[in-house]
Structure formats: structure tokens, C-alpha cells
Amino acid sequence: MEGKEEDVHLGANKFTERQPLGTAAQDRDYKEPPPAPLFEASELSSWSFYRAGIAEFVATFLFLYVTILTVMGVKRSPNMCASVGIQGIAWAFGGMIFALVYCTAGISGGHINPAVTFGLLLARKLSLTRALFYIVMQCLGAICGAGVVKGFQKTPYEVLGGGANSVAPGYTKGDALGAEIVGTFVLVYTVFSATDAKRSARDSHVPILAPLPIGFAVFLVHLATIPITGTSINPARSLGAAIIYNRDQGWNDHWIFWVGPFIGAALAAIYHQVVIRAIPFKSNC
């Protein structure tokens, strides 16, 4: 028995360099990065700045193209069982975000969503200059993505609603606004957690896995809110579809798909920075 106890003791202390996650010993060498400046003129003369904007444009273009076609495919089927259904739509949105964040994270950060950009701006993770540029490029990409779908399938696009978001019958505008706020909170909070610089310094696998939880969050939110609003949680996605579809259905409640995601993103940024990370209360930031 004494020999066994000794073996257990040695096994428990074999890897002494390992520390419980989140301990002061493990984080003592971490330094909080300085907040991004509000305006950084040097960005405007940098090719990487414009390359990042182009990456956001292309990613949002592809996102709209694939997801709107998926929505149209479900709507043109005689019943849900004859198509991929709501689950398939949710997988299309979540899967595309997973793939596109993976592809563009090293270039632009892989935002692909004005609400994500807005949340990161509030947390001072990027400059106002870059944030505005990203949002413009995301909206243009969404418009072009929806436009290409309509160009390929004009009649089905108009008949099937063009993927435009609207409040479903039986739900109020307050229901829809609440769904968009909470859904975007889930997404942006996941983005903050998956890309946290402190976690990246502590756990080397976090940056590699970041696109997976972000895509999965999008998938889950779509499962919950497709019956309510068709799920936006992305103002560019709603704007692109509304402009190309250009019917009252796409414009009547369009404000919800900007106000809701921006409120949700702001709440997520405040919660992560103030409550989870307590950054405003740290004297060594």
C-alpha cells in the first residue's frame, strides 16, 4: 500500500508546471493590450487596412449568397420534411460563419457583421476609422451577395421573399426586438470569450478553436429565433436582403434588425469587459 501511495503522489506531481486555469500564477506575465485609438490616420495609408475591408466584403458576400439560397430552397419545398427545414437553415448560417471566420480571422478579424464590429469598437478593440470602414464593406458585400442570387433566379427570388427579415405573424414588434437583442448578445459574448487575448495567452488552443464556438452560437440562435424574425442578428444581412428584395415586407420592421443587434452587442461588450474581465477596475491596465 505504501508503494501505491508513493506512485499516486508522484503521478499527481509529475507535471508541476501545470497550473489551475485562471490562477494568478498562470496569468502573472499577461499584460492587457492598450485600447485602440479612436482615430488612427496611419491606417488610411496602409494596404493591410484596405485588404481587411476587402476580406470583410467578400466574406459577407459569400455569407449572403449561400444563406439566402438555402432559405429559398426551404421555402420552395412543398413541406419542411421535403427540405433541410429550419435546422438546415440554421446549419447554413452557422456553418458559413464558422468557415468564413476561419478564413478571414487573420486578415480582418472575421467580423462579417456590423453588430460584432460595433461591440468590438465599444471595447476599444479597433479604431472608429476601421469600424466604419468594415461596416460599409459588410453592407456592400451583403447587397452584392443578395443581388447575385436575384440575378441568377429573379422570379423565384421575388416569389420566395428574397430572404428578407420580418416579424412573423403571431409575434409583436417587442417580441422581435427582444429576440434580436438576446440573440446578438449570445453571438457577441461568444466572440469576446472565444477571442479573449488573456485566454489566448493562457490557453494556446483558444485562437485555433475560436471559429467553432462562434459558428455554433449562430446556429443555436437561428434555431431559437427563425420562427420569430427569420433571425437577423446581423444588420448587413438584413439590409442586403431588404434592398434587393425591395418590398414592404422587407422594410416595414427593418429598424428592429439594426436597433436590436446593436443593443445586444453593446450589452455583450459591457458585460464581458466590465463584469467578466473587470477591466475598468484594474490599476495595471
Side-chain angles (χ1 to χ4, degrees):
M1 289 297 292
E2 291 182 1
K4 289 184 178 180
E5 289 180 359
E6 184 178 2
D7 290 341
V8 171
H9 179 73
L10 289 173
N13 293 280
K14 184 176 180 181
F15 302 104
T16 55
E17 75 279 4
R18 296 283 293 180
Q19 296 285 343
L21 295 182
T23 61
Q26 203 168 25
D27 299 333
R28 64 182 181 273
D29 296 328
Y30 174 78
K31 298 295 183 182
E32 197 71 43
L38 192 62
F39 177 76
E40 193 168 4
S42 61
E43 286 186 316
L44 299 177
S45 59
S46 170
W47 163 240
S48 64
F49 175 79
Y50 297 100
R51 182 184 64 172
I54 294 170
E56 287 292 310
F57 171 90
V58 172
T60 316
F61 169 89
L62 295 174
F63 179 62
L64 266 288
Y65 177 77
V66 171
T67 55
I68 288 180
L69 280 176
T70 305
V71 171
M72 288 171 54
V74 171
K75 286 192 172 183
R76 74 188 308 169
S77 301
N79 56 69
M80 286 291 181
C81 295
S83 67
V84 295
I86 288 178
Q87 295 88 345
I89 294 174
W91 275 119
F93 278 86
M96 280 302 291
I97 288 297
F98 167 71
L100 294 170
V101 170
Y102 176 82
C103 291
T104 60
I107 303 172
S108 65
H111 297 190
I112 321 169
N113 184 336
V116 172
T117 301
F118 179 66
L120 294 173
L121 171 65
L122 292 181
R124 302 292 300 275
K125 302 293 185 182
L126 72 166
S127 68
L128 177 62
T129 312
R130 184 174 291 263
L132 292 175
F133 184 49
Y134 277 15
I135 291 173
V136 169
M137 296 301 282
Q138 290 158 358
C139 291
L140 290 176
I143 293 168
C144 291
V148 169
V149 174
K150 184 175 181 179
F152 287 164
Q153 303 182 38
K154 183 175 181 180
T155 301
Y157 183 89
E158 294 177 346
V159 170
L160 299 171
N165 290 110
S166 60
V167 180
Y171 293 95
T172 66
K173 293 182 180 182
D175 296 334
L177 182 62
E180 289 295 317
I181 291 173
V182 176
T184 310
F185 179 94
V186 172
L187 169 59
V188 178
Y189 178 43
T190 303
V191 169
F192 273 106
S193 298
T195 60
D196 192 319
K198 189 172 184 178
R199 294 186 65 199
S200 299
R202 186 179 64 203
D203 307 325
S204 60
H205 63 278
V206 168
I208 300 173
L209 294 177
L212 182 59
I214 294 171
F216 201 63
V218 172
F219 165 70
L220 293 174
V221 170
H222 275 76
L223 284 182
T225 58
I226 282 175
I228 304 173
T229 62
T231 309
S232 172
I233 64 172
N234 184 335
R237 172 258 187 277
S238 296
L239 180 66
I243 287 178
I244 300 301
Y245 184 56
N246 200 26
R247 304 281 180 84
D248 289 343
Q249 177 187 347
W251 290 117
N252 286 340
D253 304 309
H254 186 70
W255 65 272
I256 292 173
F257 308 114
W258 283 87
V259 175
F262 273 55
I263 292 176
L267 292 175
I270 293 170
Y271 177 68
H272 184 267
Q273 297 294 96
V274 177
V275 179
I276 301 300
R277 293 292 309 282
I279 289 176
F281 308 109
K282 294 179 180 178
S283 60
N284 61 341
C285 288

